[in-house]
Amino acid sequence: MAFEVPPLPYDYNALEPHIDEETMRLHHDKHHQAYVDKANEALKGTPLEGKPVEEVLANLSQLPEDKQAAVRNNAGGHHNHTLFWESMSPNGGGEPTGELAEAINQAFGSFEAFKEQFEANGVAQFGSGWTWLVLENGQLKATKTPNQDSPILQGQIPLLGNDVWEHAYYLTYRNRRPDYLKAWWNVVNWDKVAERYAAAKAAQS
Ligand code: MN
């Protein structure tokens, strides 16, 4: 089946004041839709057409060379944004609990230290890209990627990602990316991240 933009799991204005309604409408309905349309177009007639997006991203080399960049960017954009919408909730914020909290403390020293590194990676990403919490060989890591590159390209499983393209924050935060990165913690859905962590651990063990 061709890729589709999943409906937002909350209203467009539900993440205000941290993310404004107009940003959510443009970001979800226009930007994400464009990645989906272009990914579907690029995959047409290739051996990966109709495959799950994770499988597509893990097997880019199976595509004709002249399709690889378009699929990397647009299937990457589709996967990144699908994960992004689900990573947020109007009831979000606070701190992770349980095994995920323990793993974050073990990997980064503390939740505060993790947040600092995640924000710093977002600030340091020159131009457009993403800041991530990923699982790699059973180990939590904070990373960043340019453009719409998915951590899946590196064999990592993304658990949480924040979009630092200007389209994600410019209407409210203008040039103040660090302020956006700080405010974003108020909407993070830690239950969802914990669910991904449990699934990722099972997949990598
Ligand atoms: Mn985006």
Side-chain angles (χ1 to χ4, degrees), residues 27 81 130 148 163 167:
H27 199 176
H81 286 85
W130 291 75
Q148 292 297 350
D163 187 341
H167 67 223

Side-chain angles (χ1 to χ4, degrees), residues 59-61 88 95 102 105-106 148 152 157:
N59 294 284
L60 282 185
S61 61
M88 301 186 288
E95 297 194 9
E102 283 169 32
N105 287 338
Q106 200 156 39
Q148 292 297 350
I152 294 172
I157 301 180

Side-chain angles (χ1 to χ4, degrees), residues 170-183:
Y170 213 82
L171 295 182
T172 293
Y173 297 90
R174 302 298 166 182
N175 58 313
R176 300 185 307 277
R177 186 189 289 184
D179 292 356
Y180 163 69
L181 282 157
K182 269 201 193 321

